[in-house]
Amino acid sequence: MNSVTPKGLRDFLHASATLMAVAFGAVTVPATAQQAWPDRPIRIIVPYAAGQGADALMRLVGQELSKSLNQSIVVENRAGAGGNIGAALAAKATPDGYTFMLGTNATNSANEFLYPNPGFNPATDFEAVAMIGLLPMVIVTSATDLPINGIADLIAHARSKPNTLNVGLPSTTASVVFAQFVKSAQAPLFGVKYKSSSQSMTDVLGGQIPLAIDTVTAARPQIAGGKLRVLGITSLKASEMLPGVKPVSEQGVPGFDVVAWDALFAPRGTPAEAVQKLSEHLQRALQQPETRRRMMDSGVEPLYMGPAQLEAFVRAERPKWGGIIKAAEIRVD
């Protein structure tokens, strides 16, 4: 049996302590030397096709975020089912702070009431990151033979001749705006569904229908050319995008406020640091004059909300959109 002298024991213990220190150092050093978020490219899922409004907006904002974060922003288009395919993918993504989603009033407020199984739960599957902007709708007409110069005139005419004024509705959002307007204003109008803005605009300009509800983006070229008159904008307050146009809420329908919106979300469980930092960098991006100008040119009114404010906003939007959809029995074609 080998014996150990006192000196040998001291040497043994000293060597063991050194080895343990090295071992612990090997564990702790990478943690302390780890780079702050983000240390690799960030993926943002856009649940709509490339080239559409949401995609163009995310690429515009993504350019500013990339510069601010000094990291690549990878926009990934996953279109289909009204945004549900991309939203479901984002909901199931690893919540590591490197996958986010451009959410909308459709994916995070309306779709659960329009589809029997969207594939995700907007109330529990996402963390709110930041609001990007609002997309107000407009009620427009090209009719020159109707004595309608504003929302009050429209309501009076509709009440005097119920269901004789057709309104073109090229989207689910337009249908929701229409349903709420008819209910709030007690204006018996007749909605006509279209598959696209181009189709409804063609019919309005051609005189087949007298009215349409659409985005500022779709209507503005014809407004600028004097071919369409704007009766009202659907945001609660007037918009910089259409100076001089009064909101519906100031024309006899108090409190009327139905707008589309775009915001960033993260899979539930994403580190709070990543959520907060991305939110702060997005706020800086929205303060850039050129970014704001380009957003408004595309029909999006910049509006920043932080995580807590956006969470509260979406929590209120879901029953609002759901209530309108259910009451009007709006369906997805």
Side-chain angles (χ1 to χ4, degrees):
M1 184 172 179
N2 296 328
S3 60
V4 180
T5 64
K7 181 179 183 303
L9 179 59
R10 286 197 303 272
D11 292 343
F12 173 78
L13 292 174
H14 177 74
S16 297
T18 301
L19 288 172
M20 290 177 67
V22 171
F24 278 111
V27 172
T28 58
V29 167
T32 57
Q34 187 177 19
Q35 294 184 23
W37 180 94
D39 62 2
R40 62 179 189 270
I42 297 168
R43 175 176 68 150
I44 299 181
I45 296 173
V46 174
Y48 302 98
Q52 290 188 353
D55 173 68
L57 173 67
M58 193 63 254
R59 292 179 189 277
L60 168 62
V61 174
Q63 290 176 357
E64 291 299 323
L65 289 176
S66 181
K67 289 186 288 186
S68 177
L69 291 164
N70 195 29
Q71 193 57 258
S72 297
I73 301 294
V74 180
V75 175
E76 182 176 325
N77 299 95
R78 291 299 185 97
N84 289 341
I85 290 176
L89 177 68
K92 296 175 178 62
T94 303
D96 57 3
Y98 290 90
T99 296
F100 296 86
M101 178 188 77
L102 178 71
T104 67
N105 53 289
T107 57
N108 290 73
S109 289
N111 282 4
E112 66 174 299
F113 305 102
L114 294 168
Y115 295 85
N117 183 19
F120 63 95
N121 187 330
T124 60
D125 288 348
F126 297 104
E127 306 272 3
V129 178
M131 174 69 81
I132 298 176
L134 305 179
L135 292 84
M137 308 287 280
V138 286
I139 302 175
V140 296
T141 182
S142 65
T144 57
D145 58 343
L146 288 174
I148 298 176
N149 292 304
I151 295 301
D153 289 342
L154 175 61
I155 294 171
H157 193 93
R159 290 175 179 174
S160 66
K161 298 181 179 180
N163 295 314
T164 60
L165 287 179
N166 294 337
V167 183
L169 308 174
S171 65
T172 300
T173 301
S175 294
V176 170
V177 170
F178 173 79
Q180 186 63 13
F181 178 75
V182 168
K183 178 182 177 182
S184 299
Q186 294 296 298
L189 301 162
F190 188 83
V192 181
K193 288 190 176 183
Y194 285 84
K195 292 185 177 181
S196 69
S197 292
S198 60
Q199 292 176 348
S200 64
M201 282 295 162
T202 296
D203 278 4
V204 171
L205 294 170
Q208 280 75 34
I209 56 174
L211 299 151
I213 296 175
D214 212 327
T215 63
V216 172
T217 307
R220 189 156 49 184
Q222 308 301 337
I223 296 169
K227 296 180 180 179
L228 287 177
R229 301 196 316 279
V230 187
L231 303 181
I233 192 165
T234 66
S235 51
L236 185 63
K237 298 180 180 180
S239 171
E240 293 180 54
M241 294 187 293
L242 289 173
V245 174
K246 290 184 177 181
V248 173
S249 65
E250 294 179 7
Q251 299 187 67
V253 193
F256 190 87
D257 182 24
V258 185
V259 298
W261 47 265
D262 291 318
L264 277 183
F265 295 88
R268 181 71 67 182
T270 295
E273 178 193 14
V275 169
Q276 187 60 41
K277 282 190 174 181
L278 184 59
S279 184
E280 291 169 357
H281 280 269
L282 179 61
Q283 183 179 24
R284 295 191 198 114
L286 296 180
Q287 291 171 345
Q288 300 301 314
E290 180 62 13
T291 300
R292 292 182 61 84
R293 183 192 67 77
R294 292 177 64 186
M295 284 178 63
M296 287 192 286
D297 284 348
S298 69
V300 182
E301 186 170 4
L303 176 66
Y304 172 78
M305 293 182 190
Q309 190 179 4
L310 176 60
E311 179 70 30
F313 173 83
V314 176
R315 195 182 305 123
E317 284 284 281
R318 288 177 57 246
K320 172 181 172 179
W321 284 75
I324 298 170
I325 289 167
K326 289 178 180 179
E329 298 183 345
I330 296 171
R331 301 282 185 266
V332 175
D333 296 331

